[in-house]
Amino acid sequence: MMDPEVSLLLHCAAWRGLRQSQVQVELSERYNRQTDAALQRHIEEVWTARVSKEPWLFDGAKFRLHSFHDAQLSSCTPSLQNGDSTNHHVSAPLLTLRVGLTSYKDYLGTNWSSRAAELRRRGEAELGSSQALLAQPLGVGGVVCTGDGQVVFIRRSQEVAEAGGKLDLPGGHPEPKVVCERLGETKIDVNLLEKSPQAVVAELFSSICAEIRDEVNIPLSSLGEPLLMGVALNHTSAGRPSAEFYISCSLSSEEVRELYLKGGAEANESTDIVFLSRAETLQLDRRSALWLELCPAAKGAIILFQTVNPEQS
């Protein structure tokens, strides 16, 4: 079952999900977005127009997913659209994500630009990759399953930048700034990030737990170890990638509801919490009325959940 808004770049079905120790990151400026003067001017114009309407927006560094390498593939994928989602049983590390750096401003000026389709065509024709000129910031999302077998959904606020009013799963972005701060540096230091791949992987896995804590108000101590189910692409934002995780929660759905209603650090980003049983979530498809309410990122995560069907820890 697939949906035109999303597709899977890679899934970890053969392993029923990957743990942090089974994933590695290779970070390099070689994996940054390609650009030219005209495109930079366009990005600045888009950003200036958006900030004038939404002055609360702020720019920030993000990780950019360039490609991935499965330990059993003969060569790494040359670009995102050519990703091979075939997985095999091998020893760790099982997956390498190749990432560069980008920014929220670049995301709005490329993936979210009215010229996104043109940028994809140019990238393919001039650089051999439809993603070469796009920001492609890597997001994270999580399928959280409670102790009584319920999956946590939240209703997005109308105030958020994307998919207002839609049903979503907890999610956000891993932050380069957080990695650098943990390593004792107050500014983004590319050299430091290049030399600290394990710290980048740690942020990728810990960021989803932090988002669940901040958006749903579930304490970190009640969350299990995240399992990476794969990466989904959101085609409503020019194929923007999101790493999707499965996380077990020791609390019951009623306990989670009570915590949510008390409000977390990012309570303003959603207006309601909704629960669907694990069994019902595994059966969700495009014929389901609820499917139409899901934002694209949630659709990608649910398709990965159904593909990988990770075991509860």
Side-chain angles (χ1 to χ4, degrees), residues 112-174:
W112 264 110
S113 165
S114 59
R115 298 184 188 175
E118 173 194 339
L119 292 174
R120 285 173 63 89
R121 288 193 295 270
R122 272 191 57 202
E124 186 66 53
E126 299 171 18
L127 299 162
S129 166
S130 62
Q131 277 80 29
L133 296 169
L134 302 178
Q136 295 298 89
L138 179 63
V140 292
V143 173
V144 181
C145 194
T146 64
D148 55 344
Q150 300 290 309
V151 174
V152 178
F153 292 84
I154 50 177
R155 177 80 64 183
R156 291 174 67 83
S157 164
Q158 294 290 354
E159 305 301 315
V160 295
E162 300 174 36
K166 293 278 192 177
L167 277 181
D168 200 1
L169 298 166
H173 301 87

Side-chain angles (χ1 to χ4, degrees), residues 138-214:
L138 179 63
V140 292
V143 173
V144 181
C145 194
T146 64
D148 55 344
Q150 300 290 309
V151 174
V152 178
F153 292 84
I154 50 177
R155 177 80 64 183
R156 291 174 67 83
S157 164
Q158 294 290 354
E159 305 301 315
V160 295
E162 300 174 36
K166 293 278 192 177
L167 277 181
D168 200 1
L169 298 166
H173 301 87
E175 301 286 352
K177 182 181 179 183
V178 170
V179 179
C180 290
E181 288 175 348
R182 285 183 183 145
L183 295 170
E185 180 57 63
T186 56
K187 297 180 180 179
I188 304 296
D189 185 331
V190 177
N191 291 328
L192 182 63
L193 290 170
E194 287 181 353
K195 295 173 184 175
S196 311
Q198 290 180 317
V200 176
V201 175
E203 167 61 7
L204 178 64
F205 277 75
S206 66
S207 63
I208 184 55
C209 292
E211 293 289 351
I212 295 165
R213 175 197 63 201
D214 294 344

Side-chain angles (χ1 to χ4, degrees), residues 208-277:
I208 184 55
C209 292
E211 293 289 351
I212 295 165
R213 175 197 63 201
D214 294 344
E215 293 182 9
V216 189
N217 204 27
I218 299 175
L220 296 179
S221 58
S222 299
L223 298 175
E225 179 185 3
L227 292 176
L228 177 64
M229 299 186 295
V231 176
L233 303 179
N234 180 349
H235 296 293
T236 67
S237 52
R240 181 263 185 95
S242 183
E244 304 294 347
F245 295 85
Y246 172 81
I247 305 100
S248 62
C249 173
S250 60
L251 303 175
S252 70
S253 53
E254 192 52 44
E255 289 172 318
V256 170
R257 186 190 303 278
E258 289 174 6
L259 287 168
Y260 173 82
L261 292 174
K262 290 178 181 177
E266 296 178 2
N268 61 310
E269 294 187 4
S270 65
T271 58
D272 195 14
I273 190 166
V274 176
F275 296 94
L276 201 64
S277 75

Side-chain angles (χ1 to χ4, degrees), residues 21 65 299:
S21 61
L65 183 61
K299 291 178 179 179

